[in-house]
Amino acid sequence: MTRAPERRWSIRARVLTGMMLLVGLALLTAGTASFAVQRHELNERLDESLTRTVKEFEVLTDTGVDPRTMERFKHAEDLLYIAMQRTLPSPKQGMLSLVGDEVRWTAPDIVNTRLEDDPEFLEWARSVQDANHIRLGTVDTDITTYRAVVVPVSLPADHEHGAFVLAYDYSAEAIANDRNFMIYGAVGASVMLVAALAAWLVVGRMLDPIRRLQTTAQQISETDVSQRIEVSGNDEFAELTVTVNEMLDRLEGALSSQRQLLDDVGHELRTPVTIINGHLELMDPNDPDDVAQSRDIAMDELGRMSLLINDLVTLAKSNRTDFLQVEPAE
């Protein structure tokens, strides 16, 4: 009993799956690279803005004068107050001033990012303020993530140390970047769906000659090989269709020749058998001359049959590759 073939994926399904995997990988790679580049640019932009503000604060510290006394700043608290007045935070930026461990000045009420309302951030700012080092870093709290800078303030005439704290709400700044990535993902998914539909139609159209070949092969039987596949287009499938049609032509010719040969052989073998059978039926077994004559006729007809059988054997061997022994002629 012939075992039924196992069910496998169709060519269309395999081509479509491979194409979708390739397109998906390309979109994922491009999206990841774009996301990384945008996130890097965001980090650079925030750090550049914080660094620029720090430089402005250093210029104010080195060359600025107190508007009330028109002299150089003597108290860290006064310097921080003027610096806070001259600094305009961006929409997602907050600031405050520390004198010792106390929050002395905060941003105006119109500023949405309230650093003083985040205890974890304040704890970090107090822990990193140092009289000699500016600290730039990322702070994760339960409320959000900050990209912040802490600038220490220490004046020779003031025994109190302070710090100017400026921070971006990094999570809020990254939302736009994340939103762009989500839009990219949605567009990529839509592109994959459209590509899948287009590929399904295109591959189906490409495989149409294969389906016609399968249908034609199923219609071909031992007695009817006249079916042919319609040739359309001028691609590799069209060439395959022409090749299969030519093979069917050769097969039909071979089958026709085989049937003609069988008809001829049947006719040739039937004649001597009929002759032998007729003479044996009419032979008089008691007449030695009639027996001898019938014997001679039967031997002649059997000889003809033997020659015909030898010719058939030779014809069958003619299809073998070693039928002819080619040798160089002298």
Side-chain angles (χ1 to χ4, degrees):
M1 180 180 296
T2 303
R3 182 179 179 181
E6 296 181 358
R7 182 65 177 175
R8 297 181 179 179
W9 282 14
S10 64
I11 295 178
R12 175 188 280 190
R14 283 182 284 175
V15 171
L16 183 61
T17 302
M19 179 179 174
M20 289 299 98
L21 290 176
L22 183 61
V23 173
L25 180 61
L27 291 175
L28 179 61
T29 303
T32 303
S34 177
F35 180 82
V37 169
Q38 292 183 14
R39 185 56 61 91
H40 178 70
E41 291 177 349
L42 172 64
N43 295 337
E44 286 190 338
R45 179 173 62 82
L46 297 184
D47 288 353
E48 181 182 358
S49 175
L50 294 174
T51 302
R52 183 171 59 251
T53 302
V54 170
K55 290 182 179 179
E56 293 174 355
F57 183 82
E58 290 176 342
V59 171
L60 177 64
T61 302
D62 295 337
T63 63
V65 295
D66 190 340
R68 294 172 295 183
T69 62
M70 300 305 296
E71 297 180 356
R72 299 288 298 277
F73 290 101
K74 296 181 179 180
H75 300 285
E77 182 177 356
D78 297 334
L79 174 60
L80 291 171
Y81 178 76
I82 297 301
M84 295 278 290
Q85 283 188 326
R86 295 184 180 182
T87 302
L88 179 62
S90 66
K92 299 180 180 63
Q93 192 179 41
M95 64 179 178
L96 57 81
S97 295
L98 294 174
V99 177
D101 289 336
E102 178 186 354
V103 177
R104 184 62 54 87
W105 309 110
T106 60
D109 294 337
I110 60 174
V111 178
N112 294 325
T113 304
R114 310 307 303 182
L115 303 180
E116 65 275 11
D117 293 337
D118 192 334
E120 291 182 82
F121 179 80
L122 290 177
E123 182 66 24
W124 174 83
R126 293 187 182 102
S127 65
V128 300
Q129 63 174 328
D130 188 290
N132 298 317
H133 298 89
I134 298 174
R135 180 65 179 269
L136 176 65
T138 301
V139 185
D140 293 317
T141 69
D142 293 337
I143 297 178
T144 187
T145 298
Y146 301 93
R147 186 66 177 171
V149 64
V150 177
V151 183
V153 178
S154 178
L155 299 178
D158 192 357
H159 66 279
E160 288 188 315
H161 299 287
F164 177 63
V165 182
L166 189 66
Y168 277 98
D169 187 342
Y170 188 83
S171 298
E173 290 283 351
I175 286 178
N177 187 26
D178 297 340
R179 185 183 298 114
N180 291 336
F181 188 73
M182 293 176 62
I183 294 174
Y184 175 87
V187 173
S190 301
V191 169
M192 289 189 64
L193 290 176
V194 174
L197 178 60
W200 183 266
L201 297 177
V202 171
V203 174
R205 186 178 182 88
M206 291 175 58
L207 294 178
D208 186 62
I210 302 298
R211 287 193 293 270
R212 293 201 301 268
L213 173 60
Q214 181 182 11
T215 302
T216 303
Q218 291 174 346
Q219 294 175 351
I220 293 175
S221 63
E222 295 181 357
T223 58
D224 182 16
V225 290
S226 61
Q227 297 291 332
R228 296 294 182 272
I229 308 172
E230 180 183 357
V231 180
S232 60
N234 55 359
D235 52 9
E236 290 81 358
F237 288 109
E239 295 178 0
L240 174 62
T241 303
V242 172
T243 302
V244 171
N245 286 338
E246 292 176 350
M247 179 191 68
L248 292 175
D249 291 338
R250 293 192 299 270
L251 180 60
E252 184 178 17
L255 292 176
S256 177
S257 299
Q258 184 183 41
R259 285 194 293 267
Q260 183 64 39
L261 175 62
L262 292 177
D263 292 340
D264 294 342
V265 169
H267 175 72
E268 293 296 330
L269 290 177
R270 192 179 298 110
T271 300
V273 170
T274 302
I275 293 174
I276 295 173
N277 186 54
H279 280 82
L280 291 177
E281 288 179 352
L282 298 175
M283 180 187 67
D284 185 3
N286 298 320
D287 186 354
D289 294 335
D290 193 13
V291 171
Q293 185 180 5
S294 298
R295 175 184 176 277
D296 293 338
I297 293 174
M299 293 297 296
D300 289 339
E301 295 302 326
L302 289 174
R304 287 178 56 193
M305 291 176 63
S306 179
L307 292 176
L308 182 59
I309 292 173
N310 290 334
D311 291 340
L312 291 176
V313 173
T314 303
L315 181 61
K317 292 181 178 179
S318 64
N319 294 325
R320 294 170 51 180
T321 57
D322 59 346
F323 178 71
L324 296 178
Q325 301 292 333
V326 181
E327 295 180 359
E330 295 182 359

